[in-house]
Amino acid sequence: MEQSPADAATRNLVASDVGGTFTDLVVFETGADGGPARIHTAKRATTPPDFHEGVIDVIDHLGLDVSTVDSHVHGTTVVINAITERKGATVGLITTSGFRDTLAIARGNRPDFFNLAYSKPEPLVPRYLRQEVPGRLTYTGEEREPLQLDALDPILEQFDEAGVDAVAVALMHSWANPDHERRVVEAIRERRPQLPVVASSGITREWREYERTSTAVLSAFVQPTAASYLHRLDDALKERGLRTQTLVMQSNCGLASIDEAASTPITMIESGPAAGFRGAALLGSLIGEPNVIALDIGGTTAKCSLILDGETSIISDYWIERSRDSAGYPALVPVVDLVEIGAGGGSIASVDPFGRLTVGPESAGASPGPASYGAGGVHATTTDANLWLGRMSRDDFCGGTIEPDLVAAEAALTSVGAAIGTDADGAARAIIRIANNNMINALKLVSVNRGHDPREFAMVAFGGGGPLHATALARTLGISTVVVPATASVFSAWGMLTSDIRRDYFATVLADVDANLEGHVTTAVAEMGAQANREFAASGHPAPVLTWHGRFRYQGQEHACEVDIEVDELQADAIGTLIERFGEEYEAQYTYRLDTPVELVGLHLVATEDRGIELPQPEPTDDGIDVEPTSTRRVDFDEDGIHDADIYARRDLVPGATFSGPAVVEGEGTAIVVGPNCRATVDGYRNVIVRV
């Protein structure tokens, strides 16, 4: 789509998303007259370790002239991959005297409580690189012992000898007063100007020493890698003529500048999924479905999130690598509230010593991949099962990029079948059924377990695997509407393009929720609002829109619920309304209320700037347009039996097109399985909407 001189007034709004397997590109192309935008998409293989080259590759593949780009948004898996693969920096930790072992002590929250052989996750910083400086603050932020910066000299010399690449600073009670941490950071930068330094208070002002220390260490661990990658990408795009600033997708469903993201890269931990769920929230609102359960199934994992009234839920107590076998590592950064399980297209099916079939969490990955890829994979996966049952095309497998190895797929499925007493067909059905049950459990965690009835929600399914499984999952949960976006296979990039500038601010404020509450929070509210306005102005943005949330709990409890608040609700005459709203939220999550005083433990400020992105307008639709299938083939719909299903090409489905199942819609990067007794229509945005 290279622009000619006549098209010089064309505006291109671009988003690129680096995933573990593919790098995606979405372009909104608008004319100077402000007419309806056209959407262009492309996918190319991701190029580790030089991830920026994959972005350039997909831009060249689409033929995009970078000099015509007016906005570029970027998301990446580099941060989470660096952590999970342990390919980060050598980190040195500086903490308060007596607290060097906070990381090792961690929490007593082991998931398998009765496992006497359980081992805590290994700290990312070994003990000899965890060093202490004298000086102490009280929990109120007052100085109890003066800070002794002279102690830094031998510490930094030891770090030099150990080859430390980045330093994390996490001092006691810096959530109440960051002064000591700031002085330590300034002293390190004076002594070692080239050494990256991350202060815990620069990321969050929430309490809990272990979690805050872990967050600083995680950010320092990925900081050199992320900063180098982001700046190399920025330089490469500018060399090609990019005239605008690249914005980076954060885990809070908002955008930040490259410099901001590079300084605190831990905020990008769930960059891609956050964009997908942000996109699902926006899409649901556009089509009149503000309550959505979003489902993103990729090659390795399935992720889901609940969207209520068009808003994604953001949490700040995220745990990396948490599983039934490990407590994981905490990160006190705002992250979209999601559940993730090892149930993707590459999830491996295996039979345990008791004869029980399991699917995932181990994945065949992109190399060697599923057996059907013909690249040496010998294990049956969810993709092999879908292919074998006719849900995926054997003639246009993976968009025609791979010639499926049906012999290898049959051998892998037959091996699984022999272990459970069935043939390849039976094994494939069993794999799909178990994978679906795993996904059902995850979907219940974000809905039923949090007090929401999934029958009151629509499902938005995307990613390579989402549309393959969505209608079966929706029927089990009683969901009547499944929406598959027009850009389902690159939907996270679409979500990035529609996101706004966002920053989150947290402050720990302890106060009883009574007539005196306003007096306790006035200072914190003023300081947080001033900080948001100051930082947006320094970045060249207009004054942000401020949205407030409070963290409340019943007295005597440990953890809190977050509730939307207005600043004037903190006044004495509005306390009753505030307590009632907290009670409603608490009851929705835990099914009961307590007749106990309520206390505030923290404030959460969300500052946003609407970028004013104009979305493509819906095309006019004529109801009931019949569309002819391109072919038919035998498809196994598991519990709904084996049928001759109509096969449709996604590119042929115009707005208003209507068809009934059993059918399969095949498009670039994914396929939509429309079961018997389901009816599908195409709306003005070219989404396929299936009534289950």
Side-chain angles (χ1 to χ4, degrees):
M1 55 171 295
E2 188 170 348
Q3 307 298 316
S4 65
D7 298 323
T10 297
R11 296 182 69 241
N12 288 320
L13 311 178
V14 179
S16 56
D17 178 25
V18 175
T21 305
F22 292 103
T23 295
D24 303 336
L25 190 72
V26 172
V27 179
F28 284 1
E29 180 190 4
T30 61
D33 58 358
R38 291 187 295 169
I39 298 179
H40 307 274
T41 66
K43 295 177 77 75
R44 299 292 284 176
T46 294
T47 55
D50 299 316
F51 294 97
H52 68 286
E53 293 182 359
V55 177
I56 301 301
D57 183 34
V58 73
I59 288 173
D60 290 344
H61 178 71
L62 192 62
L64 174 65
D65 181 358
V66 174
S67 66
T68 68
V69 173
D70 294 274
S71 171
H72 177 232
V73 180
H74 182 65
T76 178
T77 59
V78 167
V79 170
I80 187 64
N81 288 346
I83 293 173
T84 56
E85 297 171 10
R86 300 297 188 269
K87 293 182 178 178
T90 299
V91 178
L93 171 64
I94 295 177
T95 188
T96 302
S97 293
F99 291 89
R100 68 186 297 193
D101 292 321
T102 297
L103 279 185
I105 295 170
R107 292 283 179 193
N109 60 342
R110 63 191 194 194
D112 188 357
F113 192 76
F114 297 101
N115 180 6
L116 299 181
Y118 175 78
S119 296
K120 296 177 183 178
E122 191 70 22
L124 293 179
V125 183
R127 194 170 194 272
Y128 77 98
L129 291 180
R130 304 197 296 262
Q131 297 297 324
E132 304 171 344
V133 292
R136 184 71 179 270
L137 299 173
T138 67
Y139 75 95
T140 61
E142 298 175 354
E143 186 174 79
R144 195 177 82 180
E145 298 176 11
L147 183 65
Q148 299 182 27
L149 294 177
D150 291 344
L152 289 176
D153 293 316
I155 291 174
L156 293 177
E157 290 177 4
Q158 181 181 353
F159 285 176
D160 291 340
E161 295 173 359
V164 165
D165 303 308
V167 174
V169 180
L171 304 182
M172 283 292 291
H173 303 310
S174 60
W175 56 268
N177 181 356
D179 178 65
H180 278 194
E181 278 196 358
R182 289 173 181 165
R183 290 168 58 192
V184 169
V185 169
E186 290 172 359
I188 293 174
R189 287 174 175 164
E190 289 176 1
R191 293 163 167 80
R192 302 290 190 279
Q194 303 303 317
L195 186 63
V197 187
V198 175
S200 70
S201 57
I203 303 173
T204 182
R205 294 287 296 276
E206 290 192 78
W207 62 358
R208 303 188 190 282
E209 297 305 321
Y210 166 59
E211 285 81 358
R212 198 163 41 80
T213 302
S214 172
T215 303
V217 166
L218 287 167
S219 196
F221 184 71
V222 297
Q223 204 273 339
T225 300
S228 173
Y229 157 68
L230 289 174
H231 288 124
R232 289 169 70 189
L233 172 65
D234 194 41
D235 291 343
L237 292 173
K238 287 179 178 177
E239 287 176 3
R240 286 172 165 256
L242 183 69
R243 298 175 288 105
T244 187
Q245 179 188 47
T246 293
L247 298 173
V248 180
M249 189 71 199
Q250 308 289 284
S251 303
N252 63 0
C253 297
L255 304 174
S257 70
I258 276 188
D259 289 339
E260 292 165 345
S263 64
T264 55
I266 194 63
T267 58
M268 298 188 293
I269 191 72
E270 290 288 3
S271 175
F277 297 138
R278 153 72 186 183
L282 179 59
L283 180 60
S285 297
L286 284 175
I287 64 174
E289 296 283 359
N291 295 331
V292 163
I293 295 177
L295 175 67
D296 177 7
I297 303 178
T300 303
T301 62
K303 307 176 186 71
C304 53
S305 183
L306 185 133
I307 295 156
L308 193 62
D309 295 330
E311 296 292 334
T312 53
S313 176
I314 305 297
I315 60 174
S316 64
D317 55 346
Y318 180 70
W319 290 73
I320 300 168
E321 298 181 4
R322 181 174 234 171
S323 69
R324 57 189 176 188
D325 300 316
S326 173
Y329 301 90
L332 285 181
V333 290
V335 178
V336 63
D337 190 4
L338 60 85
V339 170
E340 181 175 5
I341 61 170
S347 294
I348 292 174
S350 58
V351 181
D352 68 16
F354 300 100
R356 295 177 300 190
L357 177 64
T358 60
V359 179
E362 184 181 1
S363 175
S367 179
S372 53
Y373 278 17
V378 296
H379 299 292
T381 67
T382 308
T383 293
D384 297 313
N386 275 313
L387 176 67
W388 188 257
L389 297 178
R391 299 160 181 248
M392 301 174 71
S393 173
R394 299 183 179 188
D395 299 322
D396 193 31
F397 186 50
C398 295
T401 60
I402 296 177
E403 181 71 27
D405 189 337
L406 297 176
V407 174
E410 182 178 15
L413 292 167
T414 299
S415 176
V416 171
I420 60 174
T422 187
D423 57 10
D425 291 350
R429 291 189 203 101
I431 291 170
I432 295 298
R433 192 171 298 182
I434 290 176
N436 283 349
N437 284 337
N438 291 340
M439 296 174 198
I440 287 292
N441 290 335
L443 291 165
K444 287 181 178 178
L445 287 175
V446 300
S447 57
V448 177
N449 284 30
R450 300 180 185 180
H452 299 286
D453 186 344
R455 293 173 296 183
E456 299 174 356
F457 292 75
M459 177 182 288
V460 175
F462 52 97
L468 279 165
H469 297 264
T471 55
L473 300 176
R475 185 182 63 179
T476 300
L477 291 170
I479 296 173
S480 60
T481 301
V482 172
V483 181
V484 179
T487 55
S489 65
V490 293
F491 192 65
S492 287
W494 188 91
M496 290 173 196
L497 197 53
T498 63
S499 296
D500 298 322
I501 307 296
R502 170 171 173 156
R503 292 183 183 176
D504 290 69
Y505 302 87
F506 297 91
T508 298
V509 182
L510 305 176
D512 292 334
V513 180
D514 56 23
N516 300 316
L517 178 61
E518 185 179 18
H520 291 291
V521 302
T522 299
T523 300
V525 167
E527 290 179 350
M528 294 170 72
Q531 182 183 2
N533 285 304
R534 185 171 59 251
E535 292 185 359
F536 269 68
S539 299
H541 301 297
V545 175
L546 305 182
T547 305
W548 293 90
H549 311 271
R551 305 279 178 84
F552 299 93
R553 67 184 182 187
Y554 288 118
Q555 286 184 3
Q557 294 189 333
E558 172 68 6
H559 294 284
C561 293
E562 186 164 286
V563 178
D564 297 344
I565 61 174
E566 300 290 341
V567 174
D568 57 10
E569 290 179 335
L570 304 176
Q571 299 172 0
D573 58 355
I575 292 301
T577 301
L578 194 58
I579 292 176
E580 175 63 22
R581 187 177 303 131
F582 164 72
E584 292 173 355
E585 179 65 25
Y586 189 92
E587 186 174 15
Q589 293 191 33
Y590 302 108
T591 73
Y592 66 92
R593 301 190 193 190
L594 296 176
D595 186 16
T596 304
V598 177
E599 62 183 359
L600 173 73
V601 297
L603 293 173
H604 174 195
L605 171 61
V606 178
T608 57
E609 177 204 342
D610 186 348
R611 294 200 302 141
I613 299 298
E614 294 291 336
L615 295 174
Q617 296 300 306
E619 301 175 48
T621 60
D622 294 322
D623 294 336
I625 297 176
D626 291 327
V627 58
E628 292 296 321
T630 59
S631 62
T632 61
R633 69 167 178 260
R634 299 286 283 177
V635 176
D636 191 324
F637 291 89
D638 190 21
E639 295 178 353
D640 289 327
I642 301 174
H643 300 269
D644 289 323
D646 292 329
I647 309 301
Y648 297 91
R650 185 67 187 261
R651 61 180 176 273
D652 295 336
L653 299 183
V654 297
T658 302
F659 59 94
S660 297
V664 177
V665 180
E666 295 177 344
E668 182 180 355
T670 189
I672 308 170
V673 174
V674 182
N677 303 317
C678 294
R679 187 159 181 81
T681 59
V682 181
D683 69 5
Y685 295 99
R686 295 186 178 257
N687 306 307
V688 176
I689 300 178
V690 183
R691 306 297 179 183
V692 181

